[in-house]
Amino acid sequence: MKHDIERVLLTEGQLQERVGQMGEEISRDYAGKNLLLVSVLKGSVVLMADLMRAISVRCKIDFLAVSSYGSSTRTSGNVKLLKDLDHPVDGMDILLVEDILDSGLTLHYIREMLDTRGAASIKICTLLDKPERRKADIHADYVGFTVPDAFVVGYGLDYAEHYRNLPYIGILKKEIYE
């Protein structure tokens, strides 16, 4: 896998440091609230595991699965719900945990869907933000890193279900996906 990476964009150490900082920010902001962390599967599972351990306030967790990419490097624009939440969100302070905010179409769809279910609040935490690719009017409340418009993998992010287990974020060589 390592030979498929053009270069390492964010090291394991950089990721751990920033996720710890985000956990501290979230803990301060959600003190005394009814926090529900919602991981958007599959990409955010690594971030979710590290982030929830960095949060010092009481919280619950749940998972959603959606698809808009398939094995492509660009979103299709059509978001399909594959797995819904297991528990009701009425009165909860939801923090959507996502690996990357790219076009914004997926998170816009999820936020709109959850907004109809009576949540007290809905905010977004993303490890990576690619603002120049945005198609939907959506912004994250907590951002790990702003990254260039390159195809990145590792730390949960994939290409065709591979590379999620890399402990860093790397830029995938173009010849792998073109």
Side-chain angles (χ1 to χ4, degrees), residues 149-162:
D149 188 12
F151 197 80
V152 293
V153 295
Y155 198 76
L157 291 103
D158 75 303
Y159 170 63
E161 294 296 326
H162 297 287

Side-chain angles (χ1 to χ4, degrees), residues 51-69:
L51 184 64
M52 65 189 222
R53 289 182 297 210
I55 293 173
S56 61
V57 297
R58 290 173 46 127
C59 63
K60 295 180 180 179
I61 64 169
D62 209 338
F63 301 89
L64 273 175
V66 294
S67 175
S68 67
Y69 282 82

Side-chain angles (χ1 to χ4, degrees), residues 26 29-38 58-60 88-96 114 118-123:
I26 292 165
D29 294 349
Y30 283 89
K33 295 191 176 184
N34 202 8
L35 177 58
L36 174 65
L37 299 172
V38 175
R58 290 173 46 127
C59 63
K60 295 180 180 179
V89 299
D90 189 45
M92 301 295 291
D93 293 293
I94 297 174
L95 183 59
L96 295 171
L114 293 177
S121 67
I122 302 173
K123 291 189 177 183

Side-chain angles (χ1 to χ4, degrees), residues 45-129:
V45 70
V46 177
L47 171 61
M48 177 74 147
D50 288 345
L51 184 64
M52 65 189 222
R53 289 182 297 210
I55 293 173
S56 61
V57 297
R58 290 173 46 127
C59 63
K60 295 180 180 179
I61 64 169
D62 209 338
F63 301 89
L64 273 175
V66 294
S67 175
S68 67
Y69 282 82
S71 61
S72 175
T73 61
R74 299 219 181 252
T75 181
S76 66
N78 298 318
V79 181
K80 179 180 173 186
L81 182 64
L82 303 175
K83 184 216 173 293
D84 205 343
L85 297 173
D86 292 330
H87 304 288
V89 299
D90 189 45
M92 301 295 291
D93 293 293
I94 297 174
L95 183 59
L96 295 171
V97 179
E98 180 65 293
D99 55 356
I100 189 165
L101 177 49
D102 195 336
S103 72
L105 296 173
T106 300
L107 281 173
H108 184 267
Y109 169 85
I110 292 170
R111 188 175 64 185
E112 294 294 312
M113 178 188 68
L114 293 177
D115 196 40
T116 66
R117 298 184 184 182
S121 67
I122 302 173
K123 291 189 177 183
I124 296 170
C125 174
T126 187
L127 179 64
L128 305 178
D129 188 14

Side-chain angles (χ1 to χ4, degrees), residues 122-141:
I122 302 173
K123 291 189 177 183
I124 296 170
C125 174
T126 187
L127 179 64
L128 305 178
D129 188 14
K130 270 192 206 177
E132 64 271 359
R133 294 276 308 263
R134 200 81 76 244
K135 293 180 181 177
D137 183 23
I138 193 162
H139 303 281
D141 301 280

